[in-house]
Amino acid sequence: MTRTTVTARPAEPSVVARLSALDRWLAVWILLAMALGLGLGRAVPGLNDVLAKVEIGGISLPIAVGLLIMMYPVLAKVRYDRLDAVTSDKKLLVSSLVINWLVGPAVMFALAWLFLPDLPEYRTGLIIVGLARCIAMVIIWNDLACGDREAAAVLVALNSVFQVLAFGLLGWFYLDLLPGRLGLGDGQHLDVPMAKIALNVVVFLGIPLIAGFLTRRIGERRMGRDAYEAKFLPRIGPWALHGLLFTIVVLFALQGKTITSQPLDVARIALPLLVYFALMWFGTFALGKVIGLAYDRTATLAFTAAGNNFELAIAVAIATFGVTSGQALSGVVGPLIEVPVLVGLVYVSLAWRRKFAVRGRA
């Protein structure tokens, strides 16, 4: 089996130096977007209620628009004719499934009970976050870290299928069955219709995936592959980060008052989340090196393992326990911690990329 190597993307003497101003100062823009969203949510009376009402089927339309704008350019860059090279990589696929659907939920369950034994609502919310595997933002983290776009598309699609099939079952296992069997008290029932999860997958993956696929297919036919990649893709590329920043502003505007009014509770929830993201990303990155994956697929594996589907987690928590519940607050704190942490890990990943390049030339 031919293995993808880092030479698929030419090595550069300084990754950061070649980034655009928008990319290079991404961490700053994201922090400003978070601050703007929190400030708007706190300063504008009723803004969160107005934004919350703009939804269809429990899906926030402003957040959906932002995520679709964010994901479309990246998925338009995917070389769909290369997907078979990913689907034949059994090490990558099996590792992703095991980490996302066995290890990830178990790690979050353990951390939630370890750090929040006296706060059952927040603990339940964290467990729900751990069950919602990422199918949206991971696309852009992976692209910023120069991961394998084709591998990201396949792994995200795989996560989507398992999300529809396994989310409800794992919710019953970790929130109802396991606590009772371990003598941790009465479990909590999580009633999540499969149709709701499927709708989430269709909106946040299906639409941008189809749009990206059709764009590349039609674009290559009309312009040729070289012109499509050299002229068209650079024009739509900045949309991804614009969509990301818009999504962050809307997300934190929706929950700005809740987050800023309970700083101590937010800190309690944030600590296990920080540990979770660190364990999942660094552990998975190390696994990728051990099993012999090239840098690009190692990065993809790590980011798909560490990210979570915050939109699904928040929607499920609100639908099951209410908008003012502790479970919903845990879901909201998820992206508050995940976004800056994974941006930082993008830079860590890029710094380690050169080590892989050196190893590959040895």
Side-chain angles (χ1 to χ4, degrees), residues 1 102 233 274 308 333 341:
M1 178 177 67
L102 294 180
L233 290 182
L274 285 170
N308 293 91
V333 175
V341 168

Side-chain angles (χ1 to χ4, degrees), residues 14 23 32 92 105 121 177 181 184 284 287 316 338:
S14 175
D23 291 336
L32 290 175
L92 177 69
E121 289 191 0
L177 177 65
R181 291 294 178 89
L184 299 174
T284 306
L287 174 64
V316 168
E338 177 178 338

Side-chain angles (χ1 to χ4, degrees), residues 121-333:
E121 289 191 0
Y122 297 158
R123 185 176 63 237
T124 297
L126 281 184
I127 293 171
I128 293 173
V129 170
L131 299 179
R133 313 313 298 168
C134 194
I135 64 170
M137 278 196 174
V138 68
I139 294 288
I140 199 165
W141 306 140
N142 176 76
D143 206 54
L144 289 169
C146 297
D148 187 320
R149 292 188 186 117
E150 290 71 39
V154 170
L155 296 187
V156 164
L158 198 62
N159 271 350
S160 300
V161 173
F162 272 79
Q163 198 153 92
V164 174
L165 299 176
F167 186 91
L169 178 62
L170 288 175
W172 165 77
F173 179 79
Y174 282 107
L175 294 175
D176 192 359
L177 177 65
L178 193 57
R181 291 294 178 89
L182 296 178
L184 299 174
D186 296 332
Q188 294 190 352
H189 183 61
L190 188 65
D191 186 14
V192 186
M194 187 176 292
K196 186 179 185 69
I197 302 173
L199 178 62
N200 185 276
V201 170
V202 168
V203 170
F204 295 121
L205 177 64
I207 293 175
L209 184 61
I210 292 173
F213 172 79
L214 292 177
T215 298
R216 176 169 276 278
R217 183 151 192 162
I218 295 171
E220 287 189 356
R221 283 182 177 178
R222 293 184 175 180
M223 304 172 61
R225 176 167 293 174
D226 291 341
Y228 174 83
E229 295 185 347
K231 297 180 180 179
F232 178 74
L233 290 182
R235 292 179 185 173
I236 65 171
W239 296 5
L241 297 184
H242 296 154
L244 172 64
L245 296 175
F246 174 80
T247 302
I248 291 171
V249 171
V250 172
L251 177 66
F252 288 101
L254 273 167
Q255 304 296 340
K257 187 174 181 180
T258 302
I259 292 172
T260 56
S261 63
Q262 303 180 62
L264 293 180
D265 289 348
V266 168
R268 286 287 305 271
I269 298 168
L271 186 56
L273 282 169
L274 285 170
V275 176
Y276 171 82
F277 293 131
L279 287 175
M280 292 299 293
W281 193 89
F282 286 102
T284 306
F285 203 96
L287 174 64
K289 292 189 68 174
V290 168
I291 64 177
L293 295 179
Y295 166 81
D296 51 0
R297 291 192 178 176
T298 297
T300 300
L301 187 64
F303 281 103
T304 52
N308 293 91
N309 186 349
F310 62 82
E311 174 64 15
L312 176 61
I314 294 171
V316 168
I318 290 175
T320 306
F321 302 103
V323 69
T324 60
S325 65
Q327 291 90 340
L329 179 60
S330 290
V332 170
V333 175

Side-chain angles (χ1 to χ4, degrees), residues 46-71:
L47 177 62
N48 57 336
D49 294 330
V50 173
L51 291 174
K53 290 178 181 178
V54 187
E55 64 173 36
I56 295 179
I59 294 176
S60 167
L61 288 184
I63 291 179
V65 169
L67 288 175
L68 294 178
I69 294 173
M70 178 191 77
M71 294 177 68

